[in-house]
Amino acid sequence: MARIGLLGGTFNPIHIGHLRSAIESIELLSLDELRLTPNFLPPHRENPSVDAEKRLTMVKLAVEKIPKLVVDDLELKRNKLSYTFDTLKALQKALPIEDTLFFIVGWDAFCGLPTWHRWQELLNYCHILVLQRPHLSAKIPHELAIFLQDKLVDYNQITGRVGKIAYLQQTPLDISSTKIRTNLAQGKSVQFLLPDNVLDYINLHKLYQ
Ligand code: ATP
């Protein structure tokens, strides 16, 4: 009867906004395990420097010594863009039937949900937990607001194996990978925005500079 969380992202690079959210999700929902799942990122013009392997290594470094946080490289192994729908379906199939899956997503990403492949069916495989993100102006689209109506519950009132959505009020941290990449490109410090061992890795490989 395990309770498993899944937090997907490009993690380019991973930062303490991801990590605090993950730890607090584990505590709030009594999760047994939370899997960080780096997405495959097609090479594109803005950040050509950091390949999937390095992003994965940084996530692995970041979760060292954090209980219950693990890295799942299933999307990277496919080596092409994965739909969350396919990932959740595959995970649910791989887990024992009595386990519960929580898909965790930030507010900005959640507001874009209606653009995702088979988005209304995601809840056939999991519950969705939505993290707050301070100072992001994303607005909930009308069709998502309608969809939410009979599914939104308090996080501590989630029942059943699938089908509910809850908002989490984790510690708000106005940190993004974009901000970290920008600071590094401008030669500014990013200390304390991400774990020291990840920063050491970035410096060693001269990433984002
Ligand atoms: P970028 O700035 O490159 O878009 P990001 O900081 O948003 O990156 P992602 O790897 O895209 O990081 O995020 C993965 C997931 O974590 C997304 O659902 C995102 O909304 C969420 N997330 C990222 N940063 C935070 C934060 N500071 N607080 C809460 N959730 C976050």
Side-chain angles (χ1 to χ4, degrees), residues 7-13 15-18 21 104-109 131-134 170-171 173-179 181:
L7 175 61
T10 44
F11 302 117
N12 189 28
H15 53 71
I16 64 162
H18 300 126
S21 298
I104 304 168
V105 62
W107 173 254
D108 54 318
L131 303 165
Q132 61 170 325
R133 287 198 74 173
Q170 89 291 1
T171 305
L173 291 169
D174 182 15
I175 297 170
S176 67
S177 302
T178 303
K179 189 184 269 185
R181 292 194 301 272

Side-chain angles (χ1 to χ4, degrees), residues 24-78:
E24 292 182 31
S25 299
I26 290 172
E27 291 178 347
L28 288 169
L29 275 301
S30 305
L31 302 182
D32 297 292
E33 179 179 288
L34 193 154
R35 302 182 185 190
L36 296 170
T37 313
N39 309 141
F40 179 76
L41 189 66
H44 68 81
R45 277 159 287 150
E46 283 156 40
N47 340 283
S49 58
V50 179
D51 57 41
E53 202 188 317
K54 290 198 177 66
R55 288 184 290 115
L56 177 67
T57 303
M58 290 190 280
V59 178
K60 284 184 178 163
L61 287 169
V63 303
E64 269 177 8
K65 301 186 192 133
I66 306 183
K68 299 184 180 175
L69 264 193
V70 299
V71 183
D72 190 332
D73 63 358
L74 93 168
E75 292 203 357
L76 290 184
K77 273 195 284 197
R78 290 191 199 132

Side-chain angles (χ1 to χ4, degrees), residues 169-199:
Q169 299 297 320
Q170 89 291 1
T171 305
L173 291 169
D174 182 15
I175 297 170
S176 67
S177 302
T178 303
K179 189 184 269 185
I180 290 172
R181 292 194 301 272
T182 306
N183 277 9
L184 285 165
Q186 295 174 346
K188 291 185 187 158
S189 169
V190 294
Q191 195 176 20
F192 307 125
L193 297 178
L194 34 64
D196 285 344
N197 58 354
V198 175
L199 182 53

